[in-house]
Amino acid sequence: MNLYILRHASAGTRRANPLLDVKRPLDREGKQQCFLVGSYLSALKVQFDLIVSSPLKRALQTASLVGTETGYDSRVLVSQAVSPNATVADFEKLVTEISVHENVLIVGHNPNLPLFLGSLITPGRVSIRMRKGAIARVDMTRRPAMLHWLVDPRILRGVYANVTKSSRRKISRK
């Protein structure tokens, strides 16, 4: 199984009230990050068999927008196993349940998502830094799993900006 682990995109400032924070939506930058990640995955010809998301609004929006960009047309599976208060044991149980699929996208949060990623690729308690909108591809065919790549949306923004510029040399006219 190829497991794609995505930290939800930018959603502005955290709310002090946890009941309000659960409903915090993506901001404009977050929507742009989703477009960049989705375009990147489409360029790699990635098609998901399943998308799993945390129940929080910003994660669901991220899952939906990236899913749309990659042509995913099924329902997003909402799971507490990737919510902010989930444990590594919850996550590992989810991974076991979804292992029948070939390509799976999981959308979650800090601080546990980097711990979940670390638990897959190395024994022990390791946390791998994931900025908002960062995505990792993990090959789950054996344990420990193998991290193939981890891409930050700032890298995608830089690559996209360079690709859209003209590749023709500038000629000075006198």
Side-chain angles (χ1 to χ4, degrees), residues 35-172:
F35 172 75
L36 290 170
V37 169
S39 296
Y40 173 70
L41 293 170
S42 290
L44 295 175
K45 298 188 180 357
V46 174
Q47 292 189 330
F48 297 112
D49 305 315
L50 178 66
I51 296 179
V52 182
S53 175
S54 157
L56 278 64
K57 184 173 187 172
R58 55 193 175 271
L60 283 166
Q61 284 182 307
T62 301
S64 177
L65 290 170
V66 171
T68 298
E69 284 296 315
T70 59
Y72 182 75
D73 57 2
S74 297
R75 189 167 236 172
V76 173
L77 175 66
V78 177
S79 175
Q80 290 293 334
V82 287
S83 67
N85 58 355
T87 65
V88 172
D90 296 333
F91 178 74
E92 288 177 350
K93 182 179 177 198
L94 171 69
V95 169
T96 301
E97 291 169 359
I98 63 175
S99 64
V100 297
H101 299 283
E102 186 177 341
N103 291 309
V104 178
L105 173 66
I106 292 181
V107 183
H109 309 268
N110 256 5
N112 58 3
L113 203 61
L115 284 173
F116 297 164
L117 175 57
S119 74
L120 294 173
I121 61 174
T122 183
R125 193 167 169 96
V126 175
S127 180
I128 297 173
R129 185 175 185 194
M130 294 184 78
R131 295 182 187 272
K132 290 180 182 173
I135 186 166
R137 177 178 171 235
V138 180
D139 180 352
M140 299 291 297
T141 52
R142 47 190 134 115
R143 286 295 194 132
M146 180 183 288
L147 176 64
H148 278 265
W149 45 257
L150 173 62
V151 180
D152 189 281
R154 294 180 308 163
I155 293 170
L156 296 177
R157 193 176 307 118
V159 169
Y160 183 74
N162 287 333
V163 168
T164 57
K165 291 179 183 174
S166 175
S167 60
R168 293 192 293 172
R169 289 187 4 207
K170 306 246 186 300
I171 301 173
S172 62

